[in-house]
Amino acid sequence: MKQISKILIAVMLLAALSGCGAAGTTGGSGTNNGNTVDKVINDQIAAADGESSTPVQTIPDAQGNSGANVVPAPPENPNNPVTAPAETGTPKSQDVPLETEPVVSVPPVETEPPVETSTPADYDLTAMSKDMVYATVSQFMYDPDDYVGKTVRMNGLYYAGYDDRTYQYYQYCLIQDALACCAQGLEFVWDDGSHVYPDEYPAEETEIIVQGVFDIYEEAGETCNFLYCRLKDATMEVAGTA
């Protein structure tokens, strides 16, 4: 209601003063003091609010005419500091996010596992001493059923033997003990047995390395069948040439 009374009083005073000004123009001197009018308006508004009037300063223009009315800013009160208006405009440089290039993820290069040249042996006699090799091969002969299907790798001297009953040659890898007084041999079949003897085989007493699957087979004799041990599907290479 206070704001409405201010507006109503201001309108009434302006209407009255405008009428006086018009009459003064036709019947009076025609002079109207702008400062007096403004003061009256401000005094009336202040009286309605119970406040003291605030003087209004008039800024003259270049020709000396009264210009716009400017109300001076209220004195600064240290007990009630005026809050500065919020800053507008472009944010500071540190607040502006920097554009970075997108990170491109590179998939890891897949490498193929190394190809194994041979299947690991269950019994690698090449890593044993001569006495241990001799004892191991002897165990193969005594309990062959315990080793069927096992992969055996061994080195020794190559020998070939001919059997008059079967009319064929058999290939052996012969192992001697540390004193070279006793020898223990183990038959082997190179690949599928299709290699031609003697053209594709080394000279006898050549040191060879053989690896194959331990197997038992039976052959008929004159009075009974005999069981033999061998390494089947074996690989063969001359020692020192691999």
Side-chain angles (χ1 to χ4, degrees):
M1 295 300 294
K2 184 181 290 186
Q3 185 65 26
I4 296 176
S5 62
K6 280 186 178 182
I7 297 174
L8 291 176
I9 293 173
V11 172
M12 292 172 61
L13 289 174
L14 286 174
L17 292 174
S18 299
C20 295
T25 303
T26 56
S29 63
T31 302
N32 188 5
N33 191 341
N35 292 333
T36 303
V37 174
D38 292 336
K39 185 175 184 304
V40 171
I41 294 173
N42 293 328
D43 291 340
Q44 292 297 328
I45 294 173
D49 294 337
E51 300 173 353
S52 61
S53 61
T54 303
V56 180
Q57 298 178 357
T58 303
I59 302 175
D61 56 13
Q63 288 78 22
N65 299 324
S66 60
N69 297 329
V70 179
V71 179
E76 185 174 337
N77 186 357
N79 297 326
N80 186 18
V82 179
T83 303
E87 294 183 1
T88 59
T90 306
K92 296 180 180 180
S93 59
Q94 59 267 27
D95 298 332
V96 178
L98 299 177
E99 295 184 359
T100 57
E101 297 182 358
V103 179
V104 180
S105 59
V106 180
V109 179
E110 296 183 358
T111 58
E112 296 182 357
V115 179
E116 296 183 357
T117 55
S118 60
T119 304
D122 297 310
Y123 296 92
D124 189 356
L125 278 60
T126 62
M128 300 179 184
S129 64
K130 288 187 176 182
D131 287 339
M132 191 64 187
V133 169
Y134 184 84
T136 302
V137 175
S138 298
Q139 191 65 30
F140 290 163
M141 303 297 111
Y142 295 145
D143 298 309
D145 292 337
D146 294 340
Y147 303 98
V148 173
K150 302 296 183 179
T151 303
V152 178
R153 182 177 179 84
M154 59 186 299
N155 60 338
L157 301 180
Y158 168 71
Y159 283 94
Y162 183 76
D163 191 339
D164 295 332
R165 296 174 302 167
T166 59
Y167 304 103
Q168 63 180 357
Y169 282 94
Y170 296 87
Q171 320 301 326
Y172 297 93
C173 183
L174 192 64
I175 304 104
Q176 292 181 332
D177 62 358
L179 299 177
C181 61
C182 301
Q184 187 68 268
L186 189 61
E187 180 190 346
F188 69 92
V189 178
W190 187 10
D191 291 338
D192 58 354
S194 60
H195 292 278
V196 178
Y197 176 84
D199 299 339
E200 298 182 52
Y201 286 86
E204 289 193 356
E205 297 187 1
T206 299
E207 186 174 0
I208 59 173
I209 300 174
V210 177
Q211 178 170 320
V213 179
F214 191 84
D215 183 37
I216 300 174
Y217 70 99
E218 182 179 354
E219 281 187 354
E222 295 181 357
T223 58
C224 61
N225 295 337
F226 294 93
L227 293 178
Y228 299 93
C229 301
R230 66 181 178 183
L231 299 180
K232 67 176 183 179
D233 302 323
T235 60
M236 186 200 70
E237 62 187 56
V238 175
T241 61

